Amino acid sequence: MSYSVNNNGFYGDFGGAFIPEMLHHNVEELKNCYLDIIESDEFITEYKALLKDYVGRPTPLYFAKNLSKKYQSNIFLKREDLNHTGAHKVNNTVGQILLAKKMGKTRIIAETGAGQHGVATATVCALMNLPCIVYMGKIDIQRQAPNVARMKMLGAEVRPATSGSKTLKDATNEAIRDWIANPEDTYYLIGSVVGPHPYPDLVARFQSIISEEMKTQLQKQTGKNYPNKIIACVGGGSNAAGAFYHFLENEEVELIAVEADGKGVHSGQSAATTELGTSGIIHGSKTLMMQNSEGQITEPYSISAGLDYPGIGPLHAHLFKSGRGTFMGATDQEALDAAFELTQLEGIIPALESAHALAALNKLTLKKDECVVVNLSGRGDKDMETYMTHLSC
Ligand SMILES: *Cc1c(COP(=O)(O)O)cnc(C)c1O
């Protein structure tokens, strides 16, 4: 079984490019040039230099001694929280901004829900001196004031999406409309392994630096060149795709994806896409998504804004359907408990998203001689307000 994208943009039954006729030209242009550009020596040299000096890579693969003792295993944390801007998202925005420049694009658009991808995009636009327009639901703008301030300080224009539920999917519609209206000069910078082909593949390639480093670091630190388990949280799935990438074909490695169960899978307030979702088309690709009987997207919920997404990328839908991936969920409370546990045991405050991955440790049977890597996708500074309200428990 193959876990790479095929020529038509599919991972098994999932993926493709289901887009309006008006977008065909833009997506074709990207599809026809992305591999030639990102695989060129010139691009790789520039990308790797920025990852090193701007982002701060390689990120450590940290052996968590106290956590390992607690779970009677060998647990390593891939420290994506130490990247510039505090999460893995910048690995992708640095790559795509370089690609946009090579394609001769002079204007960048993006959409954001929680604002994390908006900030990562505004950051690289400031770096490259390119104008940046970020579409964001009007309700999300109110909910995520600190990130809106960051984007503005970085020089981006934040445009409110005022239709529908005024959240992420409405911002996505606005961004797509903008791209249709500005096909020549504008680059649409997508933040996860979602969207029409080639975006899922493009983003997975940029995030694959995570497992590339993991492989070398593990070899050096343990003498093994693959772990027994890799655990990552899944919103759209980009940090998980990056952490799994170089081990997809190695069936010795168990790939564990953790979704947000929110207040409980069947509470009506969750983002547990593989549990609740069915096949459908969202954001231009065929994948698993949460929808009602009329095919309308149902509003997801999670305590962590980054996992609050009603679909998963097509690669993950394929990993789920084929059985290559192990999918599980963690509730808000389980994630909070895991965040406090990591903080107390290791002195590391994780992002709420990453805390969902950590919560899986409690649900798995780990062996003493096993090597387990948890992808710590981001740091918890942005979540302090939520943590403070739970500080007594
Ligand atoms: C955005 C975000 C996620 C979720 O996005 P993926 O594409 O699923 O990785 C996870 N962790 C952090 C810290 C994030 O900011």
Side-chain angles (χ1 to χ4, degrees):
M1 172 112 34
S2 165
Y3 303 101
S4 315
V5 78
N6 71 18
N7 285 337
N8 300 320
F10 277 84
Y11 301 87
D13 292 336
F14 303 104
F18 297 85
I19 47 171
E21 174 68 34
M22 307 271 281
L23 268 186
H24 186 74
H25 167 80
N26 304 34
V27 173
E28 274 298 297
E29 183 192 15
L30 182 64
K31 189 181 92 182
N32 290 335
C33 75
Y34 83 108
L35 283 178
D36 284 344
I37 295 177
I38 71 173
E39 287 179 340
S40 71
D41 291 339
E42 182 187 293
F43 184 94
I44 293 169
T45 305
E46 284 177 51
Y47 179 52
K48 290 276 163 101
L50 280 173
L51 287 183
K52 176 170 172 286
D53 298 323
Y54 188 69
V55 175
R57 306 200 70 95
T59 59
L61 182 70
Y62 167 68
F63 175 63
K65 189 157 78 28
N66 302 323
L67 201 63
S68 298
K69 202 167 157 200
K70 160 113 207 243
Y71 289 101
Q72 295 288 299
S73 190
N74 302 289
I75 301 168
F76 292 81
L77 304 176
K78 184 60 174 154
R79 299 290 308 274
E80 294 303 296
D81 59 316
L82 296 177
N83 285 325
H84 176 46
T85 67
H88 67 291
K89 286 197 173 71
V90 71
N91 301 328
N92 168 51
T93 56
V94 162
Q96 285 197 56
I97 201 87
L98 276 179
L99 172 60
K101 282 196 83 139
K102 304 275 178 215
M103 289 174 71
K105 304 292 178 182
T106 55
R107 178 177 176 272
I108 305 296
I109 58 170
E111 85 269 329
T112 195
Q116 296 297 109
H117 173 58
V119 170
T121 304
T123 298
V124 296
C125 286
L127 175 71
M128 296 296 178
N129 196 22
L130 286 173
C132 177
I133 290 138
V134 180
Y135 290 94
M136 192 170 182
K138 197 167 168 226
I139 291 192
D140 288 333
I141 289 179
Q142 286 156 4
R143 288 195 290 207
Q144 309 289 344
N147 277 337
V148 175
R150 283 184 192 106
M151 284 183 262
K152 287 184 173 164
M153 182 162 173
L154 288 159
E157 182 194 335
V158 181
R159 286 194 191 161
T162 53
S163 63
S165 54
K166 306 180 177 57
T167 58
L168 180 61
K169 66 179 165 46
D170 313 291
T172 304
N173 292 340
E174 293 295 330
I176 286 171
R177 231 167 264 149
D178 182 317
W179 205 24
I180 290 172
N182 300 284
E184 292 303 323
D185 64 343
T186 297
Y187 183 89
Y188 179 24
L189 207 160
I190 291 185
S192 190
V193 285
V194 299
H197 178 65
Y199 282 103
D201 184 48
L202 179 62
V203 177
R205 282 169 188 263
F206 288 140
Q207 292 294 358
S208 73
I209 187 69
I210 299 172
S211 49
E212 187 182 314
E213 289 175 3
M214 203 191 283
K215 211 168 188 171
T216 322
Q217 290 168 323
L218 209 60
Q219 176 77 53
K220 214 165 145 192
Q221 293 169 224
T222 70
K224 298 180 189 173
N225 58 12
Y226 63 88
N228 301 85
K229 293 182 166 70
I230 303 173
I231 308 174
C233 65
V234 174
S238 69
N239 87 88
F244 297 167
Y245 197 89
H246 289 286
F247 302 103
L248 284 168
E249 313 290 333
N250 181 351
E251 306 260 354
E252 300 288 318
V253 185
E254 190 182 357
L255 307 175
I256 300 165
V258 187
E259 295 180 319
D261 282 351
K263 297 192 173 160
V265 178
H266 300 292
S267 66
Q269 287 186 287
S270 98
T273 306
T274 58
E275 285 268 359
L276 301 173
T278 46
S279 192
I281 288 162
I282 180 170
H283 210 153
S285 84
K286 185 174 171 215
T287 189
L288 293 171
M289 57 185 273
M290 289 165 43
Q291 55 189 329
N292 66 18
S293 54
E294 272 123 52
Q296 293 299 311
I297 295 166
T298 45
E299 200 66 32
Y301 163 83
S302 165
I303 192 171
S304 77
L307 302 185
D308 198 350
Y309 182 71
I312 49 172
L315 165 63
H316 293 292
H318 181 49
L319 294 179
F320 174 71
K321 271 285 150 82
S322 64
R324 175 69 187 93
T326 304
F327 282 72
M328 52 203 297
T331 62
D332 290 357
Q333 190 58 52
E334 288 166 340
L336 283 168
D337 291 345
F340 280 93
E341 178 178 85
L342 183 74
T343 306
Q344 279 148 24
L345 287 179
E346 299 287 347
I348 298 170
I349 303 179
L352 265 167
E353 292 83 0
S354 322
H356 285 73
L358 292 161
L361 292 171
N362 233 331
K363 304 174 178 233
L364 296 162
T365 325
L366 305 179
K367 298 195 196 92
K368 232 182 154 62
D369 58 351
E370 261 183 349
C371 171
V372 179
V373 178
V374 180
N375 197 40
L376 204 71
S377 56
R379 59 180 172 240
D381 307 36
K382 68 182 178 58
D383 298 313
M384 281 319 295
E385 211 175 304
T386 309
Y387 287 147
M388 298 266 283
T389 61
H390 294 86
L391 209 50
S392 53
C393 56

